[in-house]
Amino acid sequence: MQRLKQHIPGYNKGAGNAFTITCKHLAIAAQRAERLAQRFTAQTDPEPFTAIVELVKLLTTLRN
């Protein structure tokens, strides 16, 4: 949370406006996540990788 708040001041986990605050960063976050997916797996230390970017991409296509 500390690292996240450094980049998105005023962000609070579970806040009703989280998507509104973060949506302008979605494209660059997806690009970064895809680059990380090429280097890491779910078992990589110290920061495990998740494929959440695939879910986010799917959800954003459904809302259009």
Side-chain angles (χ1 to χ4, degrees):
M1 283 300 286
Q2 288 177 332
R3 288 175 65 187
L4 184 59
K5 286 185 175 189
Q6 289 174 352
H7 300 283
I8 307 171
Y11 175 82
N12 289 308
K13 186 175 182 178
N17 63 346
F19 184 76
T20 303
I21 292 171
T22 60
C23 69
K24 62 185 171 201
H25 305 287
L26 196 56
I28 190 72
Q31 290 173 355
R32 290 175 179 169
E34 288 170 345
R35 281 197 312 260
L36 287 171
Q38 295 172 359
R39 295 176 38 208
F40 298 101
T41 68
Q43 288 77 39
T44 304
D45 285 331
E47 296 186 30
F49 159 80
T50 67
I52 194 70
V53 68
E54 298 303 323
L55 176 61
V56 171
K57 287 167 42 178
L58 173 65
L59 292 174
T60 56
T61 61
L62 294 176
R63 70 180 175 106
N64 290 333

